[in-house]
Structures are given as C-alpha cells and as structure tokens.
C-alpha cells in the first residue's frame, strides 16, 4: 500500500505559485488535530465538528493547544474560509461520513472546488487525489490503466498497474475529488456507480485476491458540477441516486461578500513585491455592481438587464486583485475607480455581443441615478461611460 504523505514532507510555501490548502493552513490543521477529542469516523483525520470549524472558522475565537502538549504554536485563530451557511457544511460532512458521495452543484465561481479541496484536506489530510472531468476524460481516470512497456515485459501485475486517483483513494481510505463530473461522457461517469454502491473495484486482469480492491474506511467521492456548462440533467438517474446533492449559492450578504473580496484579493497578492492595499471604496463599488448585475435588481428596487455572463464572486476577487496589482506597479496618480469600467467590460464581454449594451444600460440607469443622488464615486463612474463604448 502506498505511503500517506504527511504535512512534514510537503514543499515550503515560498516555493509554489499556489500552495495547496494543506500547506496554507498547516498551522490551523495541526492546532485543530491537537485539541480535537470528539469521535472521528474511521479513516478521518478530524472529527466532523472540527472539519466544519476548519472551513467555517471559529468566529474570531483563538484555540489553545492542550496543557502539557508538545505544541509549537501558540493560541491560533481558525479563519473563515468558506462564506456561507454552516448548516450546508454540516450536511456535506454528514454525507461524506455515510454511504453516498457528495455532489456540489451551483453557478460558476461559487467556491465549489474550493470547498471540495478544503473538505478533502480536513478529512483526509490532502486534496491532491482529483480527477478533472472533461469530454475527453477516459475511464482509466476512474478505474486504472497500464504501463504498457511493463505490461508487455511482465504481464498483468501490480507493478504494471497505473491506478486512477479513485483507486488510490479507495486503497488509502481517503476522499477523492471529481471536478466537473458532468462534463465527462455519461458512460464514463457511470463507472462511478458500482464504486459508490459496492465500494469495491474489480481488476480482473490481476490474479487471486488482487483482483478486487475494497475501499478502506474513509473513502468517499466529492464531485462538483457547474450549472452553466452541462448541467446535471445528462447524469444518469442511477448515478444521481448515489450522490447527495448540495447546492452552493452565491454569497447572500453584501457586506460578507465585500469582506471576502477584499481579503481574498489581498491574499492573492501577499507574495508579490509590494504589500497589497486593497482600496475599500473600490471593493464596495465592485461588489454592488456585481450583485446588481447578478440578481437583475438593485437594493433601491430598480430593474437591471442582466448580462449573460455569470457575475461570480470569484470574478469580483480577480478584478479587485488585478486593479490592486496595477496600483502597486504603477502608483503615480493611480485612481482605482477609474480602472473599474475597463475590467468590468472584460468580465461581461465573453459570450454575447449584446452584453456591452446591457452594461451601458446599467450605466445609463442605476449608475447615473446614483450619481445624480450625489454619490461622488458613482459620479466618477458615470463620467467614465465612454470606456464602455466601442472604440
Ligand atoms: N462563498 C464563498 N466563500 C469563500 N470564497 C468564495 C465564495 N464564493 C466565491 N469565493 C471565491 O471564489 C474563488 C473560486 O471559487 P471556485 O473556483 O472554487 O469556484 P467554483 O464554484 O468551483 O467555480 P467553477 O464552477 O467555475 O469551477 C475562491 O477561491 C474564493 O476566492
Ligand atoms: Mg470549480
């Protein structure tokens, strides 16, 4: 059986462009493991309660290592990583401890993949076992393949087997992530049915007991599916029944979304040459505009013609971080608000040429009305309308 990786063997943060969650949150995970005395499902590294705390945070409260423990960290805050209802997380965790897989569905950019990774990290110690679903994903990615040179040389044997991430997760009793499962061909997706119901994979080419692999305790599947590309409608009923569905919605509260955009943008720039200063007026404007365009309605009750593009929180973070980066590279006379319309156009203009008109209509409606009501930043934005026009 392959050896499990421990956090001690992971690369150091400064050596990676995007460190995995087990590296970024190594201290929090270690602290939680130390104080976590609640019962754990077999094969889990943390109890269900500690998993939810890891992802939703402990509300600013610092946790202290147990007296007499060999801990090297002092009291530590468990940060909020997923902004959303705690009861969703509780249901996800309960599902993963049971006999069905977990399917996270929702619009793009609602943190489904992030949630999948965090759950895998908290429960299994890492999120690296993952399959990326595409129209070209072969069944090998779910079951196993062969090293053909070795297969010809030695015949079918364990050494010639190339296990899929799913098979490795079964053997090691870990969670495996299946990103965008609905993009795979239905017959490929259906390879999961027997794995999820029997918790066993047959490898008929191998002799004797090696021909069947039984999932070790702790194994389960976290899949994600995007409602925009290819929804869950093409998934077979048999496979749907093997998953508990959990819908992840955009962040409900404007202030929580603004706080997240600000902190996620700052975090994405933390390794850069200049300490990031994310302009708070910019974030407030950005989040208001994204929410108006996403929902088709402003807080004042005005109707908004929605663009066809998804105005996701993930995109808002990307815009806030791009404008902040620009300000750190070109600081002289930099006005973050003046950069907003150009970036917004980049987000909106993806699929439908009419989206430019929709954005202009938003400028001629809510932006202009707020400018007339005396908002100085909205006035500034209204003056920048020409940036949105075809040049
Ligand atoms: N509710 C949320 N809590 C925390 N972060 C969020 C939330 N919603 C969006 N984000 C931000 O969005 C980023 C990207 O999310 P992620 O890629 O996981 O979305 P996704 O739902 O998997 O999107 P897609 O369907 O396009 O794959 C996160 O890293 C985070 O910055
Ligand atoms: Mg995703």
């Amino acid at each position: 059986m392959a050896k499990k990786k421990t956090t001690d063997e992971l690369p150091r943060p400064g050596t990676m462009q995007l460190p995995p969650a087990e590296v970024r949150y190594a201290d929090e995970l270690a602290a939680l493991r130390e104080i976590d005395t609640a019962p754990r499902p077999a094969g889990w590294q943390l109890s269900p309660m500690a998993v939810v705390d890891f992802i939703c945070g402990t509300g600013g409260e610092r946790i202290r290592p147990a007296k007499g423990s060999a801990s090297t960290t002092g009291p530590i805050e468990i940060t909020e990583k997923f902004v959303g209802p705690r009861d969703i997380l509780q249901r996800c965790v309960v599902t993963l401890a049971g006999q069905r897989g977990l399917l996270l569905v929702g619009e793009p950019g609602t943190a489904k993949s992030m949630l999948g990774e965090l759950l895998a990290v908290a429960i299994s110690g890492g999120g690296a076992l993952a399959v990326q679903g595409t129209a070209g994903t072969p069944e090998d990615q779910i079951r196993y393949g062969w090293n053909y040179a070795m297969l010809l040389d030695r015949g079918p044997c364990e050494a010639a087997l190339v296990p899929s991430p799913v098979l490795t997760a079964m053997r090691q009793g870990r969670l495996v992530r299946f990103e965008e499962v609905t993009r795979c061909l239905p017959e490929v997706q259906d390879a999961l049915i027997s794995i999820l119901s029997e918790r066993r994979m047959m490898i008929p080419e191998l002799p004797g007991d090696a021909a069947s692999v039984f999932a070790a305790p702790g194994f389960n599947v976290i899949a994600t599916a995007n409602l925009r590309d290819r929804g869950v409608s093409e998934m077979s009923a048999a496979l749907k029944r093997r998953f508990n569905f959990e819908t992840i919605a955009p962040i409900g509260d404007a202030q929580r979304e603004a706080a997240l955009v600000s902190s996620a943008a700052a975090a994405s720039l933390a390794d850069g040459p200049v300490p990031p200063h994310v302009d708070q007026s910019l974030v407030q404007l950005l989040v208001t505009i994204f929410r108006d365009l996403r929902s088709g309605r402003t807080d004042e009750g005005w109707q908004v013609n929605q663009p066809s593009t998804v105005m996701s929180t993930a995109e808002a973070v990307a815009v806030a971080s791009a404008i902040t980066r620009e300000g750190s590279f070109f600081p002289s006379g930099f006005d973050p608000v003046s950069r907003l319309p150009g970036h917004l156009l980049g987000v909106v203009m993806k699929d439908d040429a009419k989206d430019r008109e929709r954005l202009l209509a938003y400028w001629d409606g809510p932006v202009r009305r707020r400018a007339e009501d005396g908002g100085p930043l909205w006035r500034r934005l209204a003056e920048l309308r020409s940036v949105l026009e075809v040049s």
Side-chain angles (χ1 to χ4, degrees):
M1 185 191 280
K3 189 168 151 273
K4 281 189 193 179
K5 249 193 170 181
T6 67
T7 41
D8 296 345
E9 297 165 34
L10 290 164
R12 278 168 297 109
T15 61
M16 289 165 280
Q17 194 172 32
L18 182 60
E22 60 267 37
V23 173
R24 274 179 286 144
Y25 304 117
D27 289 350
E28 291 188 26
L29 288 163
L32 277 170
R33 274 188 212 118
E34 217 172 70
I35 59 152
D36 184 24
T37 51
R40 301 172 192 183
W44 284 35
Q45 298 208 353
L46 287 175
S47 66
M49 197 130 50
V51 172
V52 176
D53 280 348
F54 171 65
I55 295 172
C56 296
T58 46
E61 191 189 324
R62 287 166 164 260
I63 60 166
R64 291 168 190 286
K67 271 206 180 106
S69 83
S71 169
T72 48
T73 59
I76 185 168
E77 185 186 337
I78 306 300
T79 54
E80 181 186 53
K81 296 157 196 80
F82 171 69
V83 179
R86 210 178 161 91
D87 68 313
I88 288 189
L89 252 296
Q90 235 163 273
R91 280 199 303 270
C92 291
V93 167
V94 168
T95 294
L96 291 170
Q99 292 302 309
R100 285 174 144 210
L102 172 66
L103 181 58
L104 301 172
V105 291
E107 294 284 332
T110 47
K112 301 179 294 298
S113 302
M114 184 191 90
L115 205 48
E117 186 189 11
L118 291 172
L119 284 163
V121 164
I123 294 171
S124 304
L129 291 178
V131 178
Q132 178 63 52
T134 68
T137 303
E139 217 182 289
D140 294 10
Q141 280 289 302
I142 301 177
R143 294 169 55 76
Y144 53 89
W146 296 101
N147 173 336
Y148 285 102
M150 208 177 275
L151 187 67
L152 288 174
D153 187 35
R154 298 205 213 160
C157 61
E158 183 60 44
L161 188 81
V162 180
S164 68
V166 180
L167 179 54
T168 303
M170 290 175 78
R171 285 175 162 168
Q172 297 184 354
R174 292 169 64 173
L175 294 179
V176 60
R177 301 188 295 129
F178 203 132
E179 285 287 307
E180 306 293 354
V181 64
T182 49
R183 285 197 196 150
C184 298
L185 296 172
E187 56 271 29
V188 174
Q189 294 177 29
D190 282 350
L192 281 174
I193 295 176
S194 64
I195 293 169
L196 281 170
S197 48
E198 292 162 29
R199 307 272 155 168
R200 173 161 93 157
M201 194 186 293
M202 297 306 295
I203 311 177
E205 296 91 337
L206 292 184
D209 287 352
S212 47
V213 175
F214 292 89
F219 166 75
N220 213 336
V221 179
I222 306 175
T224 64
N226 190 316
L227 290 175
R228 283 276 169 143
D229 299 339
R230 212 185 202 188
V232 288
S233 55
E234 284 176 46
M235 208 173 181
S236 71
L239 184 56
K240 280 185 192 158
R241 265 204 320 279
R242 266 94 185 159
F243 279 108
N244 278 353
F245 283 51
E246 205 55 69
T247 302
I248 309 297
I251 300 171
D253 180 79
Q255 285 321 309
R256 291 186 81 191
E257 185 172 4
L260 172 81
V261 169
S262 181
S263 63
S268 74
L269 299 167
D271 285 344
V274 183
H277 166 71
V278 184
D279 188 283
Q280 291 311 303
S281 316
L282 169 77
V283 170
Q284 290 298 335
L285 277 182
L286 183 65
V287 168
T288 306
I289 295 171
F290 266 66
R291 293 176 70 87
D292 292 347
L293 294 173
R294 187 189 300 150
S295 65
R297 201 178 172 80
T298 69
D299 281 351
E300 296 91 334
W302 304 326
Q303 291 291 332
V304 172
N305 204 351
Q306 291 165 277
S308 59
T309 327
V310 184
M311 305 300 293
S312 72
T313 307
E315 292 272 13
V317 172
V319 172
S321 103
I323 294 178
T324 307
R325 187 180 299 113
E326 193 177 342
S328 69
F329 289 154
F330 305 98
S332 171
F334 187 72
D335 168 19
V337 173
S338 72
R339 313 306 295 156
L340 194 47
H343 281 275
L344 212 49
L345 200 56
V347 172
V348 166
M349 290 290 293
K350 291 207 175 102
D351 300 317
D352 184 354
K354 291 213 174 78
D355 284 337
R356 185 195 296 273
E357 289 162 33
R358 295 183 182 118
L359 195 55
L360 282 166
Y362 177 72
W363 239 252
D364 294 336
V367 173
R368 192 176 49 80
R369 287 161 89 169
R370 287 172 185 151
E372 286 166 2
D373 286 347
L377 292 174
W378 291 102
R379 233 183 356 249
R380 177 90 188 95
L381 270 188
E383 288 163 9
L384 294 162
R385 184 186 187 279
S386 59
V387 177
L388 304 173
E389 291 164 6
V390 188
S391 49

